[in-house]
Amino acid sequence: MAERITIQDIADALGLSRNTVSKAINNTGILADATREKVLKKAIEMGYKQFSYVNIPGIGIPGADPGCTLPLKKNEIALLTANFIGNSHFASTMLDNFQRGVSDSGYTFTMHRIRENEIRNLQLPNSYNIEKTAGIICVEMFDQKYCSMLCGLGTPLLFVDSPASGLGEPLKADVLSMDNQSNIHVFVHEMAKRGKKRIGYIGNCMHCQSFFERFLGYRNAMYLCGLSCSEEYCITGPAGTCEYPSQKEYRKYLRERIQSLDSLPDVFICANDFVAIDALLTFKELGICVPKDVWMCGFDDSQESRITSPTLTTIHIHSQIMGFSAVHLLLSRIKDPSMNYRRVYTETSLIYRESTED
């Protein structure tokens, strides 16, 4: 089977930038007609298949077959997600604002669930139409290889959160996230002032970039406050070898780790409210009382954090500004694909509740 031609292959053949070729093929941004025609001609010669052509009399590409003309106008924004949106504490409100914003700008909005076999095989869903897609927004997409594949499509792309980069190369795309560190710093400093200096962390730090940054925020805050960061109190792995354990498997893992502790810390910071609630239920099974025996802080300010017993100290994500920011980032990328990639953080707010005796 012949190797698939990519936008980078065309750019290399012409001595042009990848973004210039992407503009020509996706019919986006401002580009000289001569440059656009040169790119399209080369793409046809090399057998590029990722655009379709519409027959419009009198509009042709010099040197190409008579039936080949300019690409179809793209006016669809596609949401790709590997999870149910309802499983995210902030995504529903954010996407409501995002959909309104892109619709006001003349785009249609489609949603596509990426299945596990599609992620494994690096396949786009059958419902996705690359010929109509002007831009992609990814929510709850944390598989590094799949996300890298999306970056190679040549379509303007925005990730809301992203795979944990660790020591690897960052994605070649714009990324929108909440501020994952500032209020963790504030929380650790406040705990130290209250005499709570043994602080632990719960949550798989490599689950996604936000979890990774929250763990870094915890470690940095402990260092800056002159506190010892005990590895014993950092429960940061997945359950066994399973990257995405079930709730039952994760609670079993938490139970085993907590039972192995010689003593409890004064406070646990959790990667998000789901993790915090799993920890709360595990503590209750073990006869550990929050906040009597240990204090706890979550992240996200989910609805569950306000009704659980005790109510959960947490960090609030402002979903509306994330929605507005997502509109700006993706539409500006569609307008000018050649911009440097951007990583934007939106404000968060610390909320104290009963789990820290507030």
Side-chain angles (χ1 to χ4, degrees):
M1 181 180 291
E3 185 177 350
R4 194 180 81 165
I5 300 299
T6 68
I7 284 178
Q8 189 62 57
D9 294 330
I10 300 167
D12 292 343
L14 291 171
L16 296 173
S17 73
R18 183 180 176 281
N19 281 324
T20 296
V21 174
S22 175
K23 282 184 183 181
I25 286 177
N26 292 309
N27 200 21
T28 59
I30 300 171
L31 203 63
D33 290 341
T35 302
R36 190 184 303 275
E37 290 177 358
K38 180 170 71 172
V39 170
L40 295 174
K41 178 182 176 181
K42 178 58 70 173
I44 294 165
E45 289 174 356
M46 295 177 69
Y48 185 75
K49 302 294 185 184
Q50 300 306 305
F51 51 58
S52 66
Y53 292 92
V54 59
N55 293 323
I56 304 175
I59 305 179
I61 304 170
D65 294 336
C68 293
T69 58
L70 292 176
L72 290 165
K73 182 67 175 176
K74 302 182 177 186
N75 69 337
E76 188 170 288
I77 301 296
L79 164 70
L80 303 184
T81 181
N83 208 339
F84 291 110
I85 295 301
N87 287 350
S88 172
H89 292 144
F90 65 90
S92 297
T93 302
M94 181 205 72
L95 286 175
D96 182 60
N97 282 277
F98 178 80
Q99 181 175 3
R100 213 175 315 135
V102 297
S103 297
D104 289 345
S105 297
Y107 292 93
T108 59
F109 185 68
T110 60
M111 299 178 66
H112 310 270
R113 177 94 185 278
I114 313 298
R115 306 292 176 178
E116 287 185 13
N117 65 305
E118 291 168 336
I119 292 175
R120 283 195 306 270
N121 297 320
L122 302 182
Q123 294 175 334
L124 292 166
N126 291 331
S127 58
Y128 173 81
N129 189 337
I130 196 169
E131 298 167 3
K132 294 182 179 179
T133 304
I136 299 171
I137 180 172
C138 293
V139 179
E140 297 282 325
M141 295 290 294
F142 299 143
D143 184 276
Q144 182 69 43
K145 289 182 179 179
Y146 196 87
C147 291
S148 295
M149 180 274 289
L150 292 176
C151 292
L153 294 176
T155 302
L157 181 61
L158 172 67
F159 288 95
V160 179
D161 204 350
S162 63
S165 59
L167 299 176
E169 291 288 330
L171 293 172
K172 295 186 181 299
D174 296 322
V175 179
L176 173 65
S177 188
M178 64 295 298
D179 180 351
N180 292 298
Q181 299 197 44
S182 297
N183 278 297
I184 288 181
H185 294 173
V186 172
F187 179 77
V188 169
H189 186 244
E190 175 63 21
M191 293 301 99
K193 287 199 300 184
R194 296 188 191 185
K196 304 290 186 178
K197 298 185 178 182
R198 296 184 305 155
I199 303 174
Y201 184 92
I202 302 177
N204 179 3
C205 60
M206 297 305 292
H207 171 68
C208 61
Q209 183 65 17
S210 284
F211 278 26
F212 181 68
E213 291 178 1
R214 291 168 195 176
F215 180 61
L216 289 183
Y218 154 74
R219 296 292 294 254
N220 291 339
M222 294 293 283
Y223 173 78
L224 292 172
C225 289
L227 302 178
S228 173
C229 194
S230 171
E231 295 299 326
E232 182 185 18
Y233 294 151
C234 294
I235 306 176
T236 58
T241 59
C242 183
E243 186 176 2
Y244 300 109
S246 67
Q247 189 177 53
K248 182 178 179 180
E249 291 169 327
Y250 190 67
R251 286 184 188 171
K252 180 175 181 291
Y253 163 73
L254 288 180
R255 184 186 183 97
E256 290 171 351
R257 284 297 309 271
I258 292 165
Q259 284 180 312
S260 71
L261 296 177
D262 292 330
S263 62
L264 288 171
D266 299 319
V267 185
F268 269 122
I269 297 171
C270 297
N272 72 1
D273 291 346
F274 284 140
V275 172
I277 290 170
D278 280 340
L280 273 173
L281 293 172
T282 302
F283 289 156
K284 287 180 180 179
E285 291 174 3
L286 296 173
I288 298 169
C289 180
V290 177
K292 179 182 177 182
D293 299 321
V294 61
W295 287 7
M296 181 173 289
C297 177
F299 203 115
D300 288 350
D301 190 26
S302 65
Q303 291 183 349
E304 293 88 344
S305 71
R306 303 164 207 169
I307 60 174
T308 190
S309 180
T311 56
L312 192 61
T313 290
T314 187
I315 295 172
H316 177 75
I317 297 172
H318 296 276
S319 301
Q320 288 191 341
I321 192 60
M322 289 196 73
F324 295 138
S325 298
V327 172
H328 170 74
L329 284 167
L330 188 54
L331 295 189
S332 60
R333 173 63 59 187
I334 292 170
K335 183 177 180 181
D336 185 2
S338 65
M339 285 189 296
N340 296 108
Y341 298 121
R342 299 159 295 177
R343 184 175 289 272
V344 173
Y345 293 90
T346 60
E347 180 186 16
T348 56
S349 303
L350 179 57
I351 299 172
Y352 290 100
R353 297 195 180 111
E354 293 172 349
S355 65
T356 50
E357 295 187 352
D358 290 284

